[in-house]
Amino acid sequence: MDLGLTGKVAMVGGASRGLGFAVAKALVAEGAQVSIASRDAVRIDAAAEALRAATPGAQVLAVPGDLRTSADITMWHEATMERFGGLDLLFVNTGGPPPGPSLSFDDAAWQGAVDLLLLSAVRMVRLAVPVMAARGGGSILMTTSSAVLEPIPNLALSNVVRASVAALVKTLSNELAPQKIRVNNLVPGRIDTDRVRELDEGRAKASNIDLAEQRRRMEATIPMGRYGAPDEFGKAAAFLLSEAAAYTTGAFLQVDGGMIKGVW
């Protein structure tokens, strides 16, 4: 299937590794011009080189920036406009907040989670929409977590704030449809990334078991019996961002191996 992404301009957040990198890799492979951002300048430059190596001739711009801040998001957006002259696709993604129960966090921690997950999304979209509308439409995809459907123990900040992001997706999908801008949500389950490994290490330590046993226990809760590969997530993102999903907006696609048990 031709996803129709050749020549499209995409911005992909949190792309130095993990889910963001996997999405950038899938878009580049489909012929998109991709601007990637992350806080770590060394890692984001290395990610760009890896993308170019995987797809010779790929057009990739790497921009170091802290997506918790309005100034750095604006700087990334402006650098993308200068390099590529427009924007068609936006993948909203940042790192995750620290684990812990609800009452263990002070106001600063809660505000930090809001800045990281919710306000970053609002700021990215606010800059992207006028450009997309001027080009006749576009596609926005946000990644959240299975926590938006089933709260995860000891991840209070993520549970609460990512649920707000999910509500933002649905709200924006209705508001932006007249401008031919689609907005969807991609929900990862246990994808084999550094972030998931770090969470598994914390759970293993708390349960006084080794990491291999912790992973075995988690895999036992997944009908497909394994963690997902980042590339599987990336390909799902490329589909939702593409014209192959032209009549899909306000949707929540789970990439979880059947882990989420609810009907909805």
Side-chain angles (χ1 to χ4, degrees):
M1 179 188 295
D2 181 1
L3 296 182
L5 291 173
T6 300
K8 297 290 187 181
V9 179
M11 292 177 65
V12 179
S16 64
R17 57 179 182 163
L19 300 181
F21 179 80
V23 172
K25 181 180 176 183
L27 293 174
V28 164
E30 291 290 333
Q33 304 171 90
V34 180
S35 175
I36 58 176
S38 182
R39 278 181 293 172
D40 191 312
V42 173
R43 280 185 171 173
I44 200 64
D45 284 342
E49 287 303 314
L51 292 172
R52 296 185 190 109
T55 305
Q59 296 297 307
V60 182
L61 172 66
V63 180
D66 186 345
L67 301 185
R68 293 174 296 185
T69 71
S70 179
D72 279 14
I73 291 172
T74 299
M75 177 268 297
W76 176 33
H77 176 82
E78 290 175 348
T80 304
M81 295 305 103
E82 181 177 354
R83 171 68 179 274
F84 296 122
L87 180 63
D88 305 292
L89 316 171
L90 173 64
F91 182 67
V92 176
N93 176 60
T94 60
S102 301
L103 300 185
S104 68
F105 298 109
D106 60 14
D107 286 2
W110 281 100
Q111 185 61 57
V114 169
D115 289 339
L116 177 67
L117 299 176
L118 180 59
L119 284 179
S120 65
V122 172
R123 290 162 176 160
M124 287 183 219
V125 171
R126 193 158 50 204
L127 291 170
V129 164
V131 181
M132 289 181 176
R135 288 162 74 89
S139 181
I140 297 169
L141 183 60
M142 301 192 194
T143 184
T144 52
S145 163
S146 61
V148 303
L149 299 174
E150 293 183 13
I152 300 171
N154 206 47
L155 288 183
L157 294 177
S158 182
N159 292 342
V160 174
V161 184
R162 289 192 194 278
S164 297
V165 176
L168 176 66
V169 167
K170 199 65 175 178
T171 301
L172 286 171
S173 71
N174 293 328
E175 293 175 347
L176 299 180
Q179 299 177 67
K180 298 183 180 179
I181 298 173
R182 298 182 297 107
V183 188
N184 291 295
N185 184 197
L186 194 56
V187 180
R190 305 295 294 180
I191 308 296
D192 196 8
T193 63
D194 290 345
R195 164 74 170 174
V196 167
R197 292 184 206 113
E198 290 163 4
L199 292 173
D200 278 352
E201 287 170 0
R203 292 188 180 104
K205 184 176 180 180
S207 299
N208 197 29
I209 58 176
D210 63 29
L211 183 58
E213 174 61 16
Q214 170 62 29
R215 178 154 178 159
R216 188 197 67 76
R217 292 182 183 183
M218 293 304 301
E219 288 176 335
T221 70
I222 303 170
M224 292 188 71
R226 64 177 177 85
Y227 284 16
D231 282 355
E232 292 173 312
F233 182 89
K235 291 173 182 177
F239 166 72
L240 277 179
L241 284 165
S242 78
E243 286 302 303
Y247 197 55
T248 302
T249 194
F252 290 68
L253 176 61
Q254 300 164 205
V255 184
D256 69 344
M259 184 186 73
I260 298 172
K261 303 301 188 294
V263 174
W264 180 243

